Each structure stands twice: as structure tokens, then as C-alpha cells.
Amino acid sequence: GTIVNYDSKGGSKLRVVAEFGLEVNTKIYQNWQNAKSAFWEIDGLRHVMVPYINYNFIPSPTLSRDKIYYFDDIDRIEKQNFVRIGIKNRLQTRRGAYGAQQIDDWASIEHYMDFHFHSQNGNYAGDFGTIFKFQPFDTLSVSADLLIDLGKGSISKFVPTLEYTINEDWKLF
């Protein structure tokens, strides 16, 4: 097979990656102060909806990703130029003893879609993503990340997660 010569000089490489972006959003919300449930730990509800448009531009890095070792996702970044259109929805409630209450996201879901300015394998549509999180109690949360590649028409990522906090030092995933 082919062997990739990552570093022919035996030394380190400097790879510079720049990113420029702009986001426009607004927040729309509705409160229901009388919604209460001891079992679900709900003390009032607030629905927050945040529609957004995000422009992102990353010029070509100074060194191709094919010439460096893969360490993390930063090492995989290539030239990008796209717009993301999305909407975030959060259902929030107050938790904690009176006087020390905090606002928590009881449930949230975000949907977004990417549109590329340059063809990605003959297609300008990028990914469709959904991020879901449900935290009915301080100690329990369920979440799922779904990413669909619209160019290929296939699921490229699905990560369901269940997290249970036993105490401050112990969590089960």
C-alpha cells in the first residue's frame, strides 16, 4: 500500500488555520409561571426559541491535513465556506431551594442545515443536524446527536447518551 510521508525532515510542522464568521440571531420566549410538578422538578416553565443564521469561512490552512499526524478534529480542518440556518428550542425551569434557585434547561432541541458556497462532491447542501437533550432531574440526562450528510443521503453521526450522576464525584455514562 501507499505510505504517507508525514514529516520528511523529522521535525515539527506549523499549521495555521484561520476562521472568520458572523452570526445573526434573535430570541423569542414565553413564560408559564404556574406550571409546577414536584416529580419532574418543575417550578415554572419558559420556552426560549432562538432562530439563527451563521456564516463561516475558513481559508486553506498553511499545511495540508494529508501531511500531518491526526491528533484531534482541528487537524482535519480544510477550506470551508458555508451558511448554517438553524433554530434552537429550550424549555427551562427553576431548580433548587427558594433563594438559591437557578435556571436549568429541562429539555432542548436544535435543528440546523448547512449550505456550501463551493460544491462538495457535486452538491451544495451540507449536513442536517439535530441535537436533543432532556434533563428531567439534576441527576439524569438523556441526549442524542444526529448528523445527516445531505450530499450522500446517509447518517454520518448518531450519538445517544445517558448520564446518571450518583454524587458529585461519580457519574455513569
Side-chain angles (χ1 to χ4, degrees):
T2 336
I3 297 173
V4 178
N5 188 6
Y6 290 99
D7 188 359
S8 60
K9 297 179 183 176
S12 62
K13 301 268 185 189
L14 175 64
R15 183 173 194 249
V16 178
V17 179
E19 180 174 2
F20 306 96
L22 175 69
E23 181 170 331
V24 177
N25 66 49
T26 189
K27 186 186 294 185
I28 304 162
Y29 66 93
Q30 173 67 43
N31 291 316
W32 297 278
Q33 297 296 333
N34 296 327
K36 299 197 185 299
S37 172
F39 178 77
W40 291 108
E41 297 180 9
I42 292 176
D43 181 14
L45 285 174
R46 174 172 48 198
H47 174 229
V48 181
M49 182 172 64
V50 181
Y52 64 90
I53 297 174
N54 186 355
Y55 170 71
N56 187 278
F57 175 70
I58 299 175
S60 294
T62 58
L63 187 63
S64 169
R65 67 181 180 185
D66 297 332
K67 300 292 182 190
I68 59 174
Y69 286 115
Y70 174 73
F71 183 74
D72 59 19
D73 289 339
I74 303 276
D75 296 331
R76 300 292 91 192
I77 291 176
E78 286 293 310
K79 180 179 178 178
Q80 296 179 22
N81 190 9
F82 69 93
V83 169
R84 175 171 287 174
I85 299 172
I87 187 165
K88 298 176 189 177
N89 281 287
R90 296 189 315 260
L91 199 55
Q92 298 176 321
T93 189
R94 291 183 294 266
R95 288 198 172 137
Y98 185 76
Q101 288 184 333
Q102 63 184 23
I103 303 295
D104 281 341
D105 287 347
W106 191 72
S108 65
I109 191 164
E110 176 181 358
H111 300 291
Y112 62 88
M113 190 168 182
D114 295 340
F115 298 96
H116 294 274
F117 287 100
H118 301 291
S119 174
Q120 304 286 317
N121 300 324
N123 196 336
Y124 291 92
D127 295 322
F128 175 80
T130 296
I131 303 168
F132 170 76
K133 186 169 183 183
F134 178 53
Q135 188 171 359
F137 312 106
D138 282 337
T139 57
L140 177 69
S141 72
V142 178
S143 63
D145 292 353
L146 173 66
L147 195 59
I148 298 171
D149 185 334
L150 295 174
K152 295 178 183 175
S154 62
I155 295 174
S156 57
K157 177 181 173 183
F158 178 64
V159 181
T161 306
L162 175 68
E163 180 182 322
Y164 179 71
T165 303
I166 298 170
N167 63 34
E168 188 177 311
D169 297 323
W170 289 86
K171 291 184 181 185
L172 295 175
F173 294 90

